[in-house]
Amino acid sequence: MPVTKAVIPAAGFGTRFLPATKSLPKEMLPVVDTPTIQHVVEECVQSGITDILIVIGRGKRAIEEHFSSSSELEIRLEEKGQTGLLNQIRRISTMASIHFAWQKEQNGLGDAVSCGQTFVGSDPFALLLGDTILRSNNPEKPILRQMLDVFEEKQESVVALEEVEPHRVSRYGIAGGENLDGNVIKLNQLIEKPAAEEAPSRLAIAGRYVFRPEIFHYIAETPRGKNNEIQLTDAMVLMLQNHGMYGLRFAGKRYDIGNKLDFIKTNIELGLQREDIGQDLADYLKRIVTET
Ligand code: UTP
């Protein structure tokens, strides 16, 4: 049975991006002209996912509006003959079946995932962070699709792994394990934000997961951890004691827009790749760099 469901948590406070995120969901911050979470939904759709649950909370209604249809806007674009834009806008609300769940209190990522339990039922599902874009080096195959391929072969949970510089391991969940064929690793260790000398590797969990439904049982068993929140990595550590788990060291790049510097870098990098503005942006950057 192929995996057809995805959960996208997008209910966090986004404190690293205040004051912008006081009333604006960080997942709606645009990369060039497209909200980050739309990039995430598109990765799902291109990977064969048909049903998506977005977990939202207070101050996050703009996400719901973005994915619902907007007949007044569509009529206006139609009248003006802006067919290209009209089709783009229509696609946002029709590309997948999108549902919403409410996280009552921001009790951490593990808690946000558990809000998807009724939607997921007893099926395996994909989990994608709503503030993280992953770009695959293979434009035909998004990272999530590559992870689903590993899941379909192994029938065990899979996480995306990215090698990070040594001084950055203490910011991420880090995985250790045994290298198998290709870029697949059989995991035997997971540590949330280890000190550099304690880290089993430099492979950081990169905001994409495919889970067997048993993860909900382990989240329910997980006590509050760092920041008094239910940490997803803690639940995965429990799950790893009884289940196999694999990592995919992906060929591509992660863009985490949840902090200011990476948000700006993402806009520059993905802006440079755009046909409409890439060249002008490159010229501008060269000019200001030589001037300063
Ligand atoms: P982050 O830890 O990056 O988000 O979670 P945050 O808590 O909003 O960020 P800061 O540290 O305050 O700046 C990654 C994803 O998980 C969601 C976030 O919205 C983000 O997309 N999340 C996090 C939830 O849905 N609920 C939570 O309780 C925490």
Side-chain angles (χ1 to χ4, degrees):
M1 282 275 284
V3 177
T4 58
K5 292 180 184 173
V7 175
I8 304 179
F13 283 122
T15 48
R16 285 167 297 159
F17 222 124
L18 282 167
T21 46
K22 184 162 179 260
S23 64
L24 177 74
K26 71 171 163 181
E27 296 79 6
M28 286 299 291
L29 290 169
V31 174
V32 187
D33 52 6
T34 304
T36 301
I37 194 161
Q38 189 182 324
H39 288 279
V40 177
V41 167
E42 278 172 6
E43 183 183 345
C44 288
V45 173
Q46 285 159 17
S47 301
I49 297 290
T50 53
D51 285 270
I52 298 170
L53 180 82
I54 302 179
V55 181
I56 56 170
R58 219 182 308 281
K60 300 281 187 161
R61 290 278 187 204
I63 299 176
E64 217 173 344
E65 264 191 50
H66 183 71
F67 289 102
S68 62
S69 69
S70 168
S71 43
E72 293 94 344
L73 176 63
E74 287 177 21
I75 291 167
R76 175 64 59 89
L77 293 173
E78 201 157 18
E79 281 169 0
K80 287 182 147 186
Q82 293 182 293
T83 322
L85 209 46
L86 174 65
N87 291 340
Q88 259 188 52
I89 295 300
R90 278 201 179 130
R91 195 171 163 275
I92 298 171
S93 56
T94 54
M95 63 182 158
S97 170
I98 300 183
H99 315 263
F100 295 89
W102 195 258
Q103 187 185 19
K104 290 198 199 94
E105 283 175 42
Q106 279 86 341
N107 283 331
L109 181 58
D111 180 63
V113 175
S114 69
C115 296
Q117 186 162 12
T118 309
F119 165 80
V120 165
S122 53
D123 298 322
F125 66 103
L127 175 71
L128 302 91
L129 299 192
D131 62 355
T132 302
I133 297 171
L134 289 198
R135 275 290 165 96
S136 169
N137 286 354
N138 176 355
E140 308 289 304
K141 239 185 190 190
I143 310 290
L144 178 62
R145 183 61 256 164
Q146 297 172 32
M147 295 171 68
L148 290 168
D149 291 346
V150 177
F151 178 85
E152 280 166 18
E153 190 198 320
K154 307 284 186 196
Q155 295 295 315
E156 296 283 9
S157 302
V158 183
V159 295
L161 297 176
E162 183 197 35
E163 192 161 298
V164 296
E165 291 160 33
H167 71 275
R168 295 176 72 207
V169 294
S170 58
R171 291 195 212 166
Y172 298 103
I174 300 289
E178 171 202 347
N179 288 318
L180 305 180
D181 285 351
N183 288 326
V184 179
I185 292 166
K186 182 155 182 18
L187 303 187
N188 55 26
Q189 215 181 339
L190 286 168
I191 310 186
E192 184 63 22
K193 302 189 174 69
E197 58 280 7
E198 282 171 22
S201 76
R202 292 198 277 131
L203 295 174
I205 302 177
R208 299 289 184 273
Y209 312 75
V210 180
F211 279 121
R212 292 178 57 97
E214 288 87 347
I215 188 66
F216 294 114
H217 164 76
Y218 295 99
I219 294 174
E221 299 272 291
T222 301
R224 283 172 185 264
K226 199 169 186 300
N227 298 334
N228 202 29
E229 292 179 343
I230 312 281
Q231 299 291 343
L232 180 63
T233 312
D234 293 347
M236 290 168 67
V237 169
L238 294 180
M239 191 175 184
L240 191 57
Q241 291 169 9
N242 299 313
H243 292 266
M245 210 177 267
Y246 293 84
L248 175 70
R249 222 175 132 150
F250 63 90
K253 195 157 177 194
R254 173 223 305 244
Y255 300 93
D256 172 5
I257 62 87
N259 69 81
K260 300 168 248 221
L261 182 60
D262 284 338
F263 169 75
I264 293 170
K265 285 182 182 170
T266 303
N267 267 287
I268 293 174
E269 230 175 288
L270 299 188
L272 286 169
Q273 292 171 18
R274 290 272 297 241
E275 272 183 22
D276 52 352
I277 60 162
Q279 191 55 55
D280 287 347
L281 179 60
D283 294 344
Y284 169 75
L285 289 172
K286 278 185 215 146
R287 205 169 57 242
I288 59 165
V289 168
T290 45
E291 276 168 13
T292 48

